[in-house]
Amino acid sequence: MPEGANVEIAHHLHEQSGHAGGSNDPTRPERFLEIGEAILLAIVAIATAWSGYQSARWDGLSAERYAEASKYRVEQDLAATEAGQQLLFDTSTLNSWLLAKTSGDQEATALFRRRFTDNYEVAFEDWLALDPLHDPDAPPGPMFMPSYTSPLDEKAAELDRQASEAFEAGASSRETGEGFVRVTVIMAMVLFLIAISQRFDVKKARIGLIVVALVFLVFGLSLLGSYPQI
């Protein structure tokens, strides 16, 4: 190695040694200030990582709930469509039964009567007991009887309720995830203020920025603690 390079290295090491042991040594308050900044940075790093993790978890849960809501909606549509088709079948069968009944075709009347679905047949028997062919005050058909029920309609209503609950849960999870994102932004602001404070040689300005950063940190931590965790 050239001698000039050795001299430069020695001179550089001498300068560093002078800084370490000379008047440029940080005073005790400055050291406390640096320790405080290091503690704040550690807290910011942990809070940022945790809020980011929670945000990702809640976003995933939101997507899962939205998927459940979509599945329930599809099943609801299928159940409602099948219920409509079943009612249409019973209604057309009733029309055929009325034609056979009014024409006096007993064989056809008995045939169509046996073709009703189970739930419609119960309402039909109650409706028939009211003598609807002669009583004008009787309900217009079995489906208007209190005893008429449709399991498929009930299933569709239950699926609609489940879909609404899943969608609301998804929306709530999304809002919670957005809350954790806000915490992450606040922590980024705290990190920025601490980094800027280290550029100032004026102690009052440096302390002022750290105090502002501390206020934002406390606010961000309070938000972090107020949100549900998963």
Side-chain angles (χ1 to χ4, degrees):
M1 181 179 292
E3 184 178 352
N6 290 336
V7 172
E8 290 179 4
I9 293 173
H11 180 68
H12 181 65
L13 293 174
H14 174 72
E15 287 181 347
Q16 289 184 338
S17 176
H19 289 318
S23 60
N24 289 333
D25 237 8
T27 62
R28 193 169 206 176
E30 289 176 344
R31 286 184 176 177
F32 283 139
L33 193 60
E34 291 175 355
I35 292 173
E37 289 175 343
I39 293 174
L40 289 179
L41 289 174
I43 296 174
V44 168
I46 295 172
T48 301
W50 182 251
S51 62
Y53 169 75
Q54 287 294 317
S55 176
R57 289 290 303 273
W58 282 103
D59 286 344
L61 183 60
S62 175
E64 182 180 341
R65 293 293 180 264
Y66 282 141
E68 287 182 2
S70 298
K71 183 191 73 171
Y72 288 139
R73 290 298 181 196
V74 171
E75 293 178 354
Q76 176 207 354
D77 290 340
L78 291 174
T81 299
E82 188 176 353
Q85 292 174 343
Q86 191 176 89
L87 180 60
L88 180 61
F89 169 79
D90 286 325
T91 303
S92 66
T93 303
L94 176 65
N95 291 334
S96 300
W97 178 87
L98 288 171
L99 289 175
K101 183 70 174 178
T102 54
S103 64
D105 190 342
Q106 297 298 325
E107 184 177 351
T109 300
L111 173 64
F112 289 123
R113 188 169 180 171
R114 291 194 300 269
R115 297 186 62 186
F116 291 128
T117 58
D118 293 339
N119 56 294
Y120 194 86
E121 184 179 5
V122 173
F124 174 79
E125 295 295 341
D126 294 340
W127 176 72
L128 197 60
L130 299 177
D131 194 17
L133 299 181
H134 302 96
D135 186 359
D137 294 329
M143 65 174 295
F144 297 98
M145 296 295 296
S147 57
Y148 174 74
T149 59
S150 174
L152 288 173
D153 280 334
E154 294 173 356
K155 179 181 178 181
E158 175 63 18
L159 289 170
D160 178 68
R161 184 190 63 79
Q162 293 178 351
S164 298
E165 289 181 354
F167 183 84
E168 291 174 1
S172 177
S173 298
R174 183 189 62 190
E175 291 177 358
T176 303
E178 290 174 351
F180 282 108
V181 171
R182 283 193 292 271
V183 173
T184 303
V185 173
I186 293 173
M187 294 302 164
M189 186 180 300
V190 174
L191 185 62
F192 173 76
L193 290 172
I194 295 175
I196 289 297
S197 70
Q198 294 174 347
R199 297 292 181 177
F200 284 88
D201 294 329
V202 181
K203 187 178 296 183
K204 290 184 178 180
R206 187 175 180 183
I207 294 176
L209 286 172
I210 292 176
V211 170
V212 175
L214 184 60
V215 171
F216 277 105
L217 178 60
V218 172
F219 175 63
L221 291 177
S222 65
L223 288 179
L224 188 62
S226 66
Y227 296 136
Q229 316 281 322
I230 58 174

